[in-house]
Amino acid sequence: LQNVRINPSSISFQMWKDIPVPFYLSVHFFEVLNPKQVLQGAKPVLSQRGPYVYREYRRKTNITFHDNDTVSYLEYRNLFFQPDLSSGTEDEYVVVPNILMLGAAVMMEKLPNVLKILLSGALAGLKQEAFMNRTVGEIMWGYEDPLIDTINMLVPGLIPFKGKFGLFVDFNNSNSGVFTVNTGMKNISQVHMVDSWNGLKKVNYWRSSQCNMINGTAGEMWPPFMSPTSLEFYSPDACRSMTLVYEQSGKFKGVPTYRFVAPKTLFANGTDYPPNEGFCPCMQSGIQNVSTCRLNAPMFISHPHFYNADPSLVDAVEGLHPSKDQHGLFLDVHPMTGIPMNCSIKLQLNLYIKQVSGIIQTGKIKPVVLPLLWFAESGSIEGSVLKQFYNNLVLLPLVLDYVQYIFLGLSVPLIISAAVLMAMSK
C-alpha cells in the first residue's frame, strides 16, 4: 500500500511523475481513391495508409499537493516521428476530404441561402475543392488556409481559431488540462481517482448529468486490489468518461494481469443503450457525435474501421475490414497495484459529409460518415522498470506470502507441544 500511493517516497511515484514506459502513437490515414466519383454520388473507396509512428514522451509539471489528500498537475506530451517504425514519411501526399470546407458546409446548412452562395463564391475564388492532396505532415501538424479568415468574415465565430489548421496541431507540445487526483494517503481505495479536471467536477458538453460526470482516474493508474469487473477513466481527448469491462485474466512477462476492453455499448446510440442518450444527437450505433466539444464541427469518434459498429457504416464505404485483433482497444492491468503493464488505446476520427444546397463545391455527395484516420496509443513496461516492478511488487509479496505459511506450519507443532505439556502439568 505504501508503494502505490502518490507520495514522493513511494516506489511508484517516479513512475507516475515521469512515465518510463515507451509510448508510441501510430496513425493510419484513409486515402480517398475516387474523389471525383464521390462528388457525383458514388460510394467512397478508401485505402489505408501508414502507420506513421511517433515516439511519445510524457512528463508532469506544476505538481502541487493539497491538504485534502489530493494533488494537482499538468501533463505535457511531446511527439517525435520515427521513420524506422513507419511505413512512409511525413512528406508523402494523401488525398483526403477538405475538412474545413466540407465541415463548414454542413455547419452552414441551415443558414440563409445568401450566406451559402457567398461562401460558394469565395470557395471558387480561393480554388477550394471538396477533396485535397496534402502531405501527412500538413494534415497532422497544420497548414495555412485562407479559408479560415473567409469563413470567419462571412459567419463570425463559426470557426473560432486562427492560424494553421491540423488534426493534431493541439496534440504536440501541449497538456491535457489540470488534473486534480486523490493521493490515497488517507484512503487507498481512492488513489488516482479524479477529484476535478480544470477545476470542474463535471463537464458541460453533453445533454445529461450522467454523461457529463468525470468518473474514474486520469487513465494512467488505478486503485490497488482491483476486482474483475470494470474500470473507468476520464479522457479529455474524447471529452467524456469511459468505462472498460473485464475480459480475462492473464500474464504479461510473468506479471499477473486483468485485461479490460471496450463494451459494445461504449459508442452505442441512445436507442440501443438509453444511458448514452445524453451523448446525442445520435446516428447509428458505434459512432459518437463529438461536435459539441469540437467547435460544433460534424465530427464523430469510433473504433477503427467501425469495429463493433452498425454494419451500415462499414457498408457505406469500401475498404474497411474491422477485426477485434487489429482494431479493439485493451488495457492489461496488474490487479494488486492497479498499474497498467501493457495497453493499446485505439480511436478513429470521422467526418460527416453531404451535399449542401447553395454550396456547389459539395456536388452530389451522398450523406456518409467518412473515416479520416485512426490512431493507437500503445505502451508496455519493459527492461529495468519491469524488473524493479516484478521484484518489489510481485516477487517480494509472493516470498512473504510463502514465509507466512512456513511460519504457520512451524507454529502448529509448537502449539500442539504446548498443549500436551499443559495437559501433563495438570
Side-chain angles (χ1 to χ4, degrees):
L1 294 180
Q2 295 289 346
N3 286 327
V4 296
R5 293 182 171 122
I6 303 178
N7 185 317
S9 64
S10 71
I11 289 176
S12 63
F13 179 78
Q14 198 61 37
M15 184 185 298
W16 172 82
K17 179 176 178 290
D18 297 302
I19 297 176
V21 176
F23 269 91
Y24 292 92
L25 175 73
S26 301
V27 183
H28 301 258
F29 286 92
F30 290 104
E31 181 164 35
V32 181
L33 300 180
N34 61 336
K36 292 181 179 178
Q37 290 79 5
V38 173
L39 279 170
Q40 297 302 313
K43 179 188 293 189
V45 178
L46 307 178
S47 175
Q48 180 174 289
R49 297 277 298 274
Y52 302 93
V53 182
Y54 300 81
R55 174 71 161 87
E56 183 175 340
Y57 293 88
R58 300 181 184 183
R59 70 187 193 282
K60 290 182 175 65
T61 62
N62 294 29
I63 298 173
T64 307
F65 287 88
H66 307 292
D67 294 334
N68 65 342
D69 196 25
T70 63
V71 59
S72 299
Y73 63 88
L74 283 171
E75 182 172 81
Y76 283 84
R77 53 190 169 193
N78 298 89
L79 298 166
F80 299 90
F81 185 63
Q82 306 292 299
D84 55 322
L85 299 178
S86 302
S87 296
T89 71
E90 288 189 308
D91 296 325
E92 291 182 345
Y93 281 84
V94 184
V95 177
V96 295
N98 186 333
I99 302 164
L100 276 175
M101 195 207 87
L102 292 175
V106 172
M107 294 165 70
M108 294 178 66
E109 184 178 18
K110 296 182 180 179
L111 294 181
N113 281 332
V114 63
L115 286 176
K116 291 185 284 186
I117 293 171
L118 285 173
L119 175 62
S120 185
L123 291 172
L126 294 171
K127 297 183 179 180
Q128 293 272 347
E129 297 181 357
F131 294 88
M132 59 185 185
N133 192 18
R134 295 273 184 183
T135 67
V136 169
E138 287 177 323
I139 302 168
M140 289 281 293
W141 310 119
Y143 55 90
E144 300 287 349
D145 196 330
L147 181 59
I148 297 174
D149 293 333
T150 300
I151 292 173
N152 281 328
M153 181 181 67
L154 292 172
V155 187
L158 186 71
I159 302 179
F161 63 86
K162 294 181 179 180
K164 290 186 175 182
F165 172 78
L167 293 177
F168 284 76
V169 71
D170 294 325
F171 203 78
N172 198 10
N173 301 316
S174 63
N175 66 76
S176 52
V178 180
F179 273 99
T180 301
V181 303
N182 201 293
T183 63
M185 296 301 292
K186 297 176 183 176
N187 185 352
I188 194 63
S189 68
Q190 291 298 304
V191 67
H192 300 296
M193 301 297 281
V194 177
D195 179 72
S196 67
W197 175 71
N198 283 341
L200 301 172
K201 298 290 186 178
K202 62 178 183 178
V203 295
N204 60 357
Y205 300 125
W206 314 112
R207 296 168 53 189
S208 74
S209 177
Q210 181 179 351
C211 291
N212 278 321
M213 292 175 67
I214 297 175
N215 297 325
T217 72
E220 295 177 341
M221 299 180 185
W222 282 265
F225 309 118
M226 301 178 73
S227 61
T229 51
S230 64
L231 60 75
E232 288 184 297
F233 61 95
Y234 177 71
S235 169
D237 296 326
C239 310
R240 57 167 289 190
S241 298
M242 304 177 81
T243 301
L244 305 186
V245 296
Y246 171 81
E247 183 185 54
Q248 63 186 23
S249 298
K251 285 191 175 182
F252 177 77
K253 298 184 179 179
V255 180
T257 58
Y258 285 167
R259 171 160 289 194
F260 296 89
V261 298
K264 287 197 71 172
T265 56
L266 184 63
F267 297 133
N269 61 27
T271 302
D272 293 342
Y273 187 63
N276 281 355
E277 182 65 35
F279 294 123
C280 293
C282 298
M283 296 179 71
Q284 300 98 316
S285 273
I287 56 175
Q288 183 189 318
N289 188 338
V290 291
S291 60
T292 53
C293 73
R294 289 291 178 263
L295 308 176
N296 292 316
M299 305 296 291
F300 291 78
I301 57 173
S302 67
H303 296 298
H305 284 244
F306 293 134
Y307 168 68
N308 264 352
D310 190 302
S312 64
L313 291 164
V314 179
D315 295 339
V317 299
E318 291 185 18
L320 300 184
H321 308 284
S323 77
K324 179 181 178 180
D325 290 342
Q326 295 184 51
H327 307 128
L329 63 83
F330 68 86
L331 277 170
D332 290 338
V333 186
H334 181 230
M336 183 179 289
T337 60
I339 296 176
M341 305 303 298
N342 184 32
C343 67
S344 185
I345 303 299
K346 303 167 184 174
L347 286 176
Q348 180 170 293
L349 194 60
N350 311 279
L351 178 70
Y352 178 63
I353 64 174
K354 61 180 295 188
Q355 176 186 358
V356 177
S357 63
I359 302 178
I360 61 174
Q361 286 80 5
T362 59
K364 299 176 181 178
I365 297 175
K366 290 185 177 179
V368 63
V369 179
L370 189 65
L372 300 174
L373 61 84
W374 70 271
F375 63 89
E377 282 191 282
S378 306
S380 59
I381 293 182
E382 301 173 351
S384 60
V385 178
L386 176 65
K387 184 177 180 181
Q388 181 189 24
F389 183 94
Y390 183 82
N391 289 341
N392 288 289
L393 298 175
V394 178
L395 187 60
L396 183 59
L398 189 63
V399 170
L400 293 175
D401 203 33
Y402 282 133
V403 170
Q404 169 184 282
Y405 285 108
I406 290 170
F407 278 118
L408 181 62
L410 291 173
S411 68
V412 171
L414 293 174
I415 293 171
I416 294 173
S417 299
V420 170
L421 289 173
M422 288 178 65
M424 290 177 63
S425 65
K426 291 182 180 179

